[in-house]
Amino acid sequence: MASSIENNNEKLTLKSSDGEEFLVEKHVALQSTLLQNMLDSDCSSADVIPLPKIDARTLALVLGYCKKHADASSSKQGELNSFDSEFLKDMDMGALFNLVLAANFMEIKGLLDIAAQKIADTIKDKPHQEVREIFHVENDYTPEEEAAVREENRWAFEGFP
Amino acid sequence: MLGILNSWYNKIAGSPPPTSFTCLPNDLILKIMASLPSNDVARMACVCSRLRCLASDDDLWKHMFLERFGNTERLHGEELHWKEKFTKCWKEDLDWKPKVRDRMLEDLSKENIMLRKLLAEKSVPPLSPRGAWKDKVGDSSAGQVNLEFIPPQVINDRIVISPPADLEDQPKPVLVEEVGTSIQAGPGSLGGTKPAVAVSPTREGSPMVLGSSPVLPMSVPTILRAKAVARSPSRIRSCDDATIEKVEALTSNIFSPLSAKETVTGGCSDTIASSSAGVIEAGKGNKGRGGGRKPKLLQ
């Protein structure tokens, strides 16, 4: 950790699952606990770090988030909050799922929290049939099974069809 | 730096790999569920069998139990799944809240009876437009109580007070026949503005406090006169300004005072206007003076 602070101007290369390479300032990469642990151990900054689970589109978004938070770490929290809400605004569900997976893999807690919250907000107060549509989840219940599960959770259906 | 990233993004954005909710690992789905209200999580069980399994996670429900109920004291060491514990306490709360509400309604109904008896003795129509009392009680933030008290209304120039539905089993002693008391309405009243009312102490000399006021006895002649018009579906009376002031003072102690503009509107000013001409005709059934007009307000 100490060495990384001394070498703020160093850059490292991240490689997405689809082969795109991203040159990233070290202090930006350090927003990710995964990368921080790698840099603290034996990985040299000269190496290309592969991120096989993250496609280039998602990695670009993740690094955009990291840069803002790395550069603004000493500025006002309110500014970062408005950036966060704007960052996820109008993002489609597929991109949100990719983002939450990437944040989970790269261990970027702040991004993971806001992305998970955004997904939760999308389905909050929605009937379960609508949740199925939003998530593209197939109903694997028979009508009888679904009725039984609904009966188990009847208390939660007040005000719902 | 960000410019480079954006250019990358724009270059590749055309071919996003579709990722569905089912691609998410269990721990991420649980994290998302932990951000949802408890009834949303319970309903997620109906989406599909995998979500049903996850939406029953013991740690998740423990988290939600502690978040909602604070501690486990009320469980008395029961050996239940956390979701069962949660559901039990949730249902207990649902059963408990109406009881409290009913008790508060009962207390407030007693206040109403007392006020009605006082009104009957003094033959006072309160100058509240229909809905004003109800609004005030309904907005009460103290107990979230909606007391279904139907305020006085004007039908064919008569002021009519109807019993609330929840008092139907009570005796109906406040049917008072009007015997010809004049109302001396000031010039200001004709314009629909409220007469100057000083918020003076109540008849008992102390402000009324909900739940602690004495129930005033009803005089026998009042009851007898009430019986005489028992066939009439409405209660009819009139008053003078002094008694209006007293009732205003009473009600302003119970509820937050309204402005004069809010208190006197439409039907009430009409009543005052007609009463200033002389006497409110009342107690002659529904075919009294003004029978040619249609009632302004019907129940």
Side-chain angles (χ1 to χ4, degrees):
Chain A
M1 188 65 194
S3 63
S4 62
I5 292 170
E6 288 160 18
N7 301 317
N8 257 356
N9 294 327
E10 277 185 46
K11 294 194 175 181
L12 55 123
T13 307
L14 306 178
K15 192 174 182 181
S16 69
S17 62
D18 39 1
E20 304 292 344
E21 291 187 356
F22 293 79
L23 196 63
V24 186
E25 290 166 43
K26 204 167 179 178
H27 76 286
V28 173
L30 287 174
Q31 292 287 312
S32 156
T33 308
L34 173 79
L35 295 179
Q36 185 183 316
N37 290 340
M38 289 171 84
L39 291 171
D40 283 349
S41 54
D42 55 350
C43 283
S44 154
S45 60
D47 296 335
V48 173
I49 300 174
L51 297 169
K53 292 188 174 183
I54 303 170
D55 62 77
R57 181 192 179 188
T58 306
L59 188 54
L61 286 169
V62 169
L63 294 176
Y65 172 91
C66 289
K67 176 153 180 64
K68 179 70 183 178
H69 279 252
D71 291 347
S73 56
S74 58
S75 70
K76 288 177 184 175
Q77 187 60 38
E79 191 187 318
L80 280 182
N81 289 344
S82 57
F83 168 82
D84 285 354
S85 55
E86 199 62 30
F87 181 69
L88 297 177
K89 201 177 165 189
D90 301 329
M91 194 175 283
D92 65 77
M93 212 29 99
L96 265 177
F97 291 148
N98 280 327
L99 201 60
V100 83
L101 282 167
N104 188 47
F105 177 71
M106 292 177 73
E107 297 175 63
I108 307 169
K109 190 177 180 304
L111 180 59
L112 178 60
D113 286 347
I114 61 166
Q117 185 67 54
K118 174 80 177 175
I119 295 171
D121 290 346
T122 311
I123 56 169
K124 191 179 163 189
D125 296 332
K126 298 273 198 311
H128 65 281
Q129 298 92 338
E130 203 173 318
V131 173
R132 263 185 215 132
E133 288 170 20
I134 293 169
F135 284 169
H136 302 291
V137 176
E138 195 181 335
N139 178 13
D140 58 353
Y141 288 128
T142 64
E144 294 78 21
E145 285 171 340
E146 188 176 336
V149 180
R150 192 187 163 111
E151 183 60 26
E152 269 175 31
N153 298 283
R154 194 151 53 101
W155 61 273
F157 276 86
E158 198 172 318
F160 283 88
Chain B
M1 175 70 189
L2 203 55
I4 298 168
L5 292 175
N6 283 339
S7 66
W8 277 111
Y9 174 79
N10 292 335
K11 200 168 149 186
I12 300 158
S15 57
T19 304
S20 79
F21 186 72
T22 48
C23 299
L24 300 184
N26 289 350
D27 59 337
L28 280 184
I29 293 180
L30 286 172
K31 184 175 175 59
I32 291 165
M33 284 184 176
S35 305
L36 284 168
S38 50
N39 51 345
D40 275 308
V41 175
R43 277 185 286 105
M44 287 279 272
C46 293
V47 173
C48 67
S49 52
R50 183 185 174 210
L51 285 187
R52 182 192 179 193
C53 188
L54 291 171
S56 306
D57 184 82
D58 212 27
D59 287 338
L60 176 67
W61 282 99
K62 182 180 181 182
H63 158 78
M64 288 196 288
F65 184 96
L66 296 176
E67 198 173 61
R68 184 175 184 93
F69 301 109
N71 57 55
T72 58
E73 279 172 19
R74 54 192 285 192
L75 290 169
H76 308 296
E78 289 179 67
E79 293 297 321
L80 293 171
H81 187 285
W82 277 103
K83 187 181 177 184
E84 290 171 322
K85 291 176 186 173
F86 185 98
T87 311
K88 191 170 183 283
C89 291
W90 173 285
K91 286 176 180 170
E92 277 175 9
D93 280 5
L94 280 187
D95 289 344
W96 178 76
K97 279 173 186 163
K99 282 177 192 164
V100 173
R101 190 194 59 203
D102 291 346
R103 203 179 66 227
M104 294 178 77
L105 268 177
E106 196 179 310
D107 289 346
L108 285 166
S109 297
K110 283 177 188 165
E111 292 299 326
N112 270 344
I113 295 166
M114 189 280 296
L115 193 59
R116 282 154 189 276
K117 287 179 178 175
L118 179 66
L119 290 171
E121 284 194 338
K122 300 303 293 179
S123 294
V124 174
L127 288 178
S128 282
R130 180 172 174 80
W133 286 25
K134 199 171 177 179
D135 288 347
K136 276 188 266 185
V137 177
D139 287 345
S140 163
S141 56
Q144 300 288 319
V145 174
N146 182 15
L147 182 65
E148 287 293 327
F149 181 78
I150 300 169
Q153 52 184 298
V154 179
I155 297 176
N156 287 350
D157 293 340
R158 287 190 299 275
I159 295 165
V160 175
I161 297 178
S162 309
D166 55 349
L167 290 177
E168 284 300 326
D169 54 343
Q170 302 283 344
K172 297 180 178 179
V174 279
L175 296 167
V176 181
E177 187 173 4
E178 169 53 37
V179 289
T181 309
S182 296
I183 288 186
Q184 297 167 355
S189 304
L190 290 169
T193 51
K194 185 182 175 185
V197 172
V199 179
S200 55
T202 65
R203 217 167 58 125
E204 293 83 7
S206 62
M208 284 180 22
V209 180
L210 286 180
S212 62
S213 299
V215 175
L216 298 174
M218 167 116 20
S219 66
V220 174
T222 306
I223 295 173
L224 290 177
R225 273 186 289 150
K227 283 180 179 173
V229 290
R231 286 182 186 177
S232 168
S234 51
R235 301 169 184 190
I236 302 146
R237 68 184 75 97
S238 67
C239 67
D240 56 38
D241 281 349
T243 45
I244 290 173
E245 281 184 22
K246 284 185 177 170
V247 173
E248 289 285 347
L250 280 174
T251 53
S252 66
N253 280 327
I254 297 173
F255 308 116
S256 59
L258 291 181
S259 69
K261 208 172 181 181
E262 286 170 306
T263 308
V264 180
T265 57
C268 283
S269 60
D270 180 62
T271 304
I272 293 167
S274 65
S275 63
S276 65
V279 173
I280 292 182
E281 282 195 27
K284 295 179 183 174
N286 289 329
K287 294 177 184 176
R289 194 190 66 137
R293 276 201 256 162
K294 290 186 177 176
K296 281 182 179 260
L297 293 165
L298 293 174
Q299 289 184 60

